[in-house]
């Protein structure tokens, strides 16, 4: 007999217009759509063509209309500043409307871009909703990126205005944002007209009189603005993510499909209802933060927690339990790495004993592979279902999950369960032929992608085709390899490109190689992601020096580590570079990164038949042992 998941899945694939059209009735529209799915310009599909909507209205005003004005919308919990602040829906709406006035005073209109470079403070949420209110397109940049990365995004998005803060707070240091902002604007050819800076009491910064405006002063002078209806197909935001080169990809999110799909996921995937407390412990700079801190919980009328801290060290490995207990969190979402960090510090979860977490019902994890050890540890100590789900910046929500609001399947450790409704997931071989259960291929989604998924890349339709659609005509490639088993469970095994996953953060080894290659003493290099017990993977750089370089190798290695930190940022967690005599390559000159990775992780490997000189692999083993990898790791 079919269960509600199977019925929903089947309908979403066979009758996507009927399925999503029905879900869209649950949202607020200024004007209803003419067509649920416009497929007149394949391979570009657009959802809810002709509909007029406003994302801010759906997240805030619509909730107030329905009587939730006095309910907390956002609880800001910041152990690093010892602050807890609650924003009701009315207060958050009023703040967003006022900041929309601030942006409008600076000439920001529908379609203009606004870059938000801010730490995890409520003003960032206010700024995002203010943009949505005006129909402006926000692009949030994660605080752990360096000026150079910010500059690339400024260059691509061409923001009219930027919004930032004086500083962010890490466990052991205050990160000044203003010097990074100034440097990035200096590097970018197209400059924003104005920067609006929120001065945090912890550390204020100097403002440039011509360019910078003080957040509080602007708010005091502004008048609130109403929501501007936009086309469902108009962009809500751009979120840049790592591609295979140093040039990040600007993933576009539209307004209509995003509201519809995300609101629906709150019940279908996470089994939460209006009024429930939902906590995504991520950062607004990542897609998880966009989808499940800022937007979806409020579309659904929940209370969302914004946490400015870390799983350990702020102040200890019990902080997650404190937050769950204090705010009566029902559902939590984070990355496995956060739980590995807690497990390392408090292996028997002794700090949990101090907290009553009886309201807590589910833990969801995503962002990287969920290793069975971490899964079992969390299940044992929390005594709630621990649910792995798989998704990407591009998709905005889960491609595969145990959709608890539809049907709870038994958990298979290592699998994010089944494709979520809307995702016609296939496993394809190189000839675009679907593979039978159990066989590994590329995980690809037959078009059309469901609402919420990227319709294109910012100003780069051809790039969207080249990067996602060209390899398997008629399908979107996730660039993840994996398989479906006999019962239809999804298994995500590895990336098919050079992306690595460090503490749930997606990083391009190609981008790091481009930077290392700029070092004057480096002739050739390779960056490989090796296994790391805390972060899942960690990048290591292998450097071949130019002939005649006679400086100490350690000095060059350190300079390379510093170079990545300066150019990409601390988030790259690039701590190790090592000089080698040569890199193992195929006869056609391709660096054998996969083989290096296997040697480093102490996995069985066979010298590929195409290798130009197998002796290099022995040299590689020695180099890796020297820095504590390969056999030394055993
Ligand atoms: N602004 C400035 N710097 C930042 C930053 C920010 N917003 N976020 C991180 N950094 C810095 C850190 O301070 C660190 O710098 P360091 O090299 O000087 O120590 C570096 O970037 C790496 O950060 P991170 O990956 O967070 O490592 P960590 O060692 O500080 O913490 C964990 C490890 C596991 C605790 C941490 O990664 C974590 O909390 N992960 C949770 C999962 C998560 O948020 N995933 C996102 C997708 S769901
Ligand atoms: P990001 O775009 O930063 O969210 O990274 C997306 C990538 O993270 C995916 O393509 C996968 O490689 C990986 N990923 C995310 N969630 C999972 C998961 N549950 N299991 C395995 N890999 C995952």
């Amino acid at each position: 007999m079919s269960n509600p998941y199977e019925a929903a899945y089947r309908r979403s694939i066979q009758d996507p217009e009927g399925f999503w059209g029905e879900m869209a009735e649950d949202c607020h529209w200024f004007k209803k759509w003419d067509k649920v799915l416009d497929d007149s310009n394949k391979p570009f599909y657009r959802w809810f063509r002709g509909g007029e909507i406003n994302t801010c209205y759906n997240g805030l005003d619509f909730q107030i209309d329905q009587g939730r004005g006095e309910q907390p919308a956002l609880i800001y919990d910041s152990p690093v500043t010892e602050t807890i602040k609650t924003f009701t829906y009315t207060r958050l709406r009023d703040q967003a409307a006022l900041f929309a006035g601030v942006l409008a005073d600076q000439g920001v209109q529908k379609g203009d871009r606004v870059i938000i470079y801010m730490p995890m403070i409520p003003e960032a949420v206010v700024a995002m909703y203010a943009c949505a209110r005006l129909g402006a397109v926000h692009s949030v940049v994660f605080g752990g990126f360096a000026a150079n990365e910010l500059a690339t995004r400024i260059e691509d998005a061409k923001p009219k205005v930027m919004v930032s803060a004086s500083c962010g707070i890490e466990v052991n240091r205050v990160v000044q944002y203003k010097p990074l902002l100034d440097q990035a604007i200096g590097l970018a050819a197209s400059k924003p007209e104005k920067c609006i800076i929120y001065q945090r009491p912890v550390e204020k910064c100097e403002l440039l009189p011509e360019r910078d405006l003080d957040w509080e002063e602007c708010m005091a002078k502004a008048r609130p603005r109403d929501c501007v209806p936009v086309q469902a197909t108009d962009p809500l935001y751009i979120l840049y993510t790592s591609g295979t080169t140093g040039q990040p990809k600007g993933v576009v999110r539209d307004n209509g499909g995003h509201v519809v799909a995300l609101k629906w996921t709150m019940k279908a995937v996470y089994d939460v209802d209006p009024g429930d407390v939902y906590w995504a412990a991520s950062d607004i700079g990542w897609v998880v933060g966009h989808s499940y801190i800022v937007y979806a919980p409020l579309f659904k009328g929940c209370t969302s927690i914004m946490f400015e801290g870390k799983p350990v060290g702020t102040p200890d490995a019990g902080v997650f339990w404190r937050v769950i207990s204090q705010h009566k969190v029902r559902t939590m979402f984070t990355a496995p790495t956060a739980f590995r960090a807690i497990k390392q510090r408090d292996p028997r979860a002794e700090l949990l004993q101090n907290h009553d977490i009886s309201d807590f019902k589910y833990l969801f994890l995503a962002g990287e592979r969920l290793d069975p050890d971490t899964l079992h540890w969390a299940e044992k100590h929390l005594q709630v279902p621990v649910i792995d789900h798989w998704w990407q910046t591009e998709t905005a929500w889960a491609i595969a999950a145990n959709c608890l609001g539809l049907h709870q399947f038994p958990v298979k450790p290592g699998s994010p369960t089944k494709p979520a409704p809307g995702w016609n997931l296939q496993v394809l071989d190189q000839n675009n032929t679907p593979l039978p259960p159990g066989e590994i291929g590329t995980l690809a989604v037959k078009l059309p992608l469901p609402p919420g998924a990227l319709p294109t890349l910012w100003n780069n339709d051809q790039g969207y085709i080249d990067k996602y659609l060209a390899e398997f005509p008629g399908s979107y490639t996730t660039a993840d390899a994996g398989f479906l088993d006999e019962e239809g469970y999804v298994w995500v095994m590895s990336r098919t490109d050079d992306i690595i996953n460090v503490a749930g953060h997606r990083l391009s080894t190609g981008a790091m190689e481009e930077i290392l290659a700029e070092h004057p003493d480096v002739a050739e290099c390779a960056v490989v992601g090796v296994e790391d017990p805390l972060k899942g993977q960690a990048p290591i750089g292998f450097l071949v020096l130019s002939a005649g370089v006679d400086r100490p190798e350690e000095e060059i290695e350190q300079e390379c580590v510093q170079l990545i930190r300066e150019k990409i940022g601390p988030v790259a967690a690039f701590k190790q570079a090592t000089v080698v005599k040569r890199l193992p390559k195929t006869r056609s000159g391709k660096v054998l990164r996969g083989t290096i990775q296997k040697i480093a992780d102490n996995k069985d490997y066979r010298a590929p038949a195409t290798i130009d000189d197998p002796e290099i692999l022995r040299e590689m083993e020695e180099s890796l042992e020297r820095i504590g990898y390969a056999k030394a790791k055993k």
Side-chain angles (χ1 to χ4, degrees):
M1 217 179 63
S2 145
N3 61 47
Y5 158 79
E6 276 152 9
Y9 187 77
R10 203 174 318 114
R11 180 158 180 237
S12 73
I13 303 301
Q14 289 170 357
D15 175 22
E17 291 204 79
F19 183 85
W20 292 112
E22 199 177 303
M23 303 316 160
E25 298 289 349
D26 200 23
C27 306
H28 173 274
W29 295 87
F30 289 106
K31 173 183 168 289
K32 236 174 135 169
W33 53 92
D34 301 323
K35 184 120 186 58
V36 175
L37 176 62
D38 174 6
D39 62 359
S40 60
N41 181 28
K42 289 176 185 162
F44 297 95
Y45 294 82
R46 302 311 307 256
W47 290 95
F48 306 106
R49 173 79 74 197
E52 287 181 19
I53 195 165
N54 184 284
T55 293
C56 182
Y57 199 92
N58 272 275
L60 300 174
D61 307 65
F62 188 44
Q63 306 302 329
I64 298 166
D65 297 347
Q66 291 174 323
R68 276 190 270 284
E70 294 316 301
Q71 182 196 307
L74 190 73
I75 299 175
Y76 165 60
D77 187 315
S78 167
V80 294
T81 56
E82 296 183 352
T83 311
I84 295 180
K85 261 196 217 166
T86 299
F87 293 74
T88 61
Y89 273 93
T90 303
R91 183 167 170 211
L92 194 57
R93 191 270 317 267
D94 292 349
Q95 292 277 298
L98 208 53
F99 195 67
V102 172
L103 292 174
D105 288 345
Q106 299 311 318
V108 173
Q109 295 178 359
K110 183 162 125 180
D112 287 336
R113 274 81 55 213
V114 174
I115 283 191
I116 300 173
Y117 185 58
M118 290 181 107
M120 285 285 285
I121 54 175
E123 286 71 18
V125 178
V126 168
M128 290 165 83
Y129 271 108
C131 290
R133 199 166 184 87
L134 295 176
V137 182
H138 63 66
S139 188
V140 180
V141 179
F142 178 61
F145 281 124
N148 193 51
E149 290 285 318
L150 179 56
T152 317
R153 286 152 176 81
I154 297 174
E155 201 57 54
D156 196 61
K158 303 196 173 22
K160 184 165 229 169
V161 166
M162 290 183 68
V163 186
S164 190
S166 52
C167 66
I169 303 162
E170 284 295 292
V171 179
N172 48 9
R173 70 201 149 101
V174 169
V175 182
Q176 294 176 340
Y177 275 43
K178 189 59 183 358
L180 295 167
L181 182 78
D182 292 345
Q183 204 187 333
I185 294 174
L187 287 168
S190 43
K191 322 257 182 224
E193 286 164 26
K194 292 284 173 199
C195 294
I196 302 166
I197 313 287
Y198 181 77
Q199 295 278 21
R200 299 192 74 178
V202 174
E203 192 164 319
K204 299 197 173 175
C205 61
E206 289 279 317
L207 302 186
L208 296 180
E210 294 296 306
R211 190 199 68 192
D212 298 339
L213 300 165
D214 176 80
W215 172 290
E216 297 287 4
E217 284 174 19
C218 293
M219 287 290 259
K221 283 188 272 183
R223 65 179 177 84
R225 300 289 164 130
D226 282 335
C227 290
V228 175
V230 299
Q231 292 294 311
T233 49
D234 280 342
L236 167 69
Y237 71 74
I238 310 166
L239 181 56
Y240 289 90
T241 189
S242 298
T244 49
T245 64
Q247 186 62 37
K249 300 186 282 194
V251 168
V252 173
R253 197 78 64 214
D254 64 12
N255 278 275
H258 179 248
V259 171
V260 172
L262 264 72
K263 183 170 188 183
W264 171 80
T265 62
M266 289 304 287
K267 182 68 191 171
V269 178
Y270 301 100
D271 192 30
V272 296
D273 291 301
D276 286 341
V277 181
Y278 183 95
W279 178 24
S282 178
D283 189 286
I284 47 147
W286 307 121
V287 68
V288 175
H290 280 64
S291 291
Y292 292 108
I293 298 173
V294 179
Y295 286 120
L298 305 200
F299 295 159
K300 188 68 181 174
C302 296
T303 299
S304 179
I305 308 275
M306 181 178 215
F307 173 70
E308 189 185 26
K310 299 260 177 177
V312 293
T314 60
D316 58 30
V319 69
F320 274 19
W321 324 138
R322 196 270 296 158
V323 172
I324 290 173
S325 145
Q326 186 165 351
H327 304 302
K328 300 196 180 331
V329 171
R330 176 184 163 89
T331 303
M332 180 187 186
F333 176 176
T334 190
T337 187
F339 268 73
R340 286 198 296 270
I342 296 171
K343 187 170 113 199
Q344 242 180 32
R345 294 277 173 98
D346 182 17
R348 286 195 294 279
E350 281 161 7
L351 294 169
L352 183 55
Q353 307 316 318
N354 310 334
H355 302 284
D356 168 11
I357 59 160
S358 51
D359 291 295
F360 190 47
K361 293 290 175 283
Y362 305 115
L363 171 65
F364 280 80
L365 296 170
E368 55 174 325
R369 187 178 162 268
L370 171 55
D371 53 291
D373 270 3
T374 305
L375 168 74
H376 295 315
W377 186 87
E379 281 175 337
K380 177 175 159 203
H381 293 290
L382 298 174
Q383 294 289 309
V384 297
V386 177
I387 307 296
D388 182 14
H389 59 331
W390 165 58
W391 50 301
Q392 311 183 303
T393 304
E394 289 83 347
T395 68
W397 57 284
I399 314 169
N402 205 338
C403 294
L404 297 188
L406 296 172
H407 179 80
Q408 187 168 346
F409 286 97
V411 166
K412 292 192 191 182
S415 163
T417 318
K418 304 216 177 191
W423 300 96
N424 191 349
L425 188 67
Q426 321 263 318
V427 182
L428 300 176
D429 71 8
Q430 284 152 330
N431 304 318
N432 203 10
T433 309
L435 289 165
E439 283 194 31
I440 296 184
T442 299
L443 295 167
V445 182
K446 210 158 174 212
L447 299 176
L449 298 179
L454 82 171
T456 190
L457 292 176
W458 180 249
N459 271 344
N460 192 2
D461 284 347
Q462 191 55 46
Y464 172 64
I465 294 176
D466 296 344
K467 290 178 169 64
Y468 299 106
L469 309 182
E471 193 177 354
F472 302 102
S475 296
Y476 160 90
T477 177
T478 64
D480 279 315
F483 65 94
L484 289 163
D485 70 15
E486 294 285 350
E487 289 175 299
Y489 278 60
V490 181
W491 297 81
V492 183
M493 310 304 288
S494 58
R495 290 286 299 197
T496 60
D497 55 15
D498 71 355
I499 297 289
I500 58 169
N501 201 313
V502 181
H505 308 318
R506 167 170 160 180
L507 298 165
S508 160
T509 54
M512 294 187 214
E513 287 174 6
E514 282 174 21
I515 291 168
L516 295 179
E518 284 172 20
H519 190 288
D521 295 338
V522 172
E524 232 189 337
C525 63
V527 175
V528 169
V530 301
E531 277 177 11
D532 182 273
L534 173 64
K535 300 196 176 191
Q537 284 187 299
I540 295 191
F542 297 91
L543 316 168
V544 179
L545 301 186
S546 306
V549 173
D550 59 1
R551 297 173 51 214
E553 290 180 357
E554 297 76 46
E555 215 172 281
I556 299 170
E557 289 164 354
Q558 273 321 304
E559 285 167 7
C560 284
V561 167
Q562 200 46 38
L563 203 55
I564 299 278
R565 198 174 167 93
E566 271 163 26
K567 292 279 173 91
I568 296 183
V571 69
F574 184 86
K575 308 265 181 197
Q576 211 151 30
T578 183
V579 171
V580 293
K581 276 189 247 153
R582 45 194 186 150
L583 294 170
K585 290 186 191 166
T586 61
R587 274 182 223 111
S588 60
K590 212 167 159 264
V591 176
L592 292 162
R593 291 180 180 76
T595 311
I596 303 178
Q597 192 175 349
K598 283 199 177 114
I599 298 175
D601 293 341
N602 265 329
K603 297 221 169 98
D604 290 338
Y605 72 92
R606 211 179 309 144
T610 51
I611 191 166
D612 59 351
D613 176 3
E615 173 59 17
I616 307 180
L617 296 180
R618 211 190 40 76
E619 283 174 26
M620 208 71 204
E621 269 185 36
E622 280 171 17
S623 310
L624 279 158
E625 270 192 66
R626 254 199 325 274
I627 56 168
Y629 287 88
K631 289 193 189 111
K633 217 172 151 192
K634 275 191 179 149

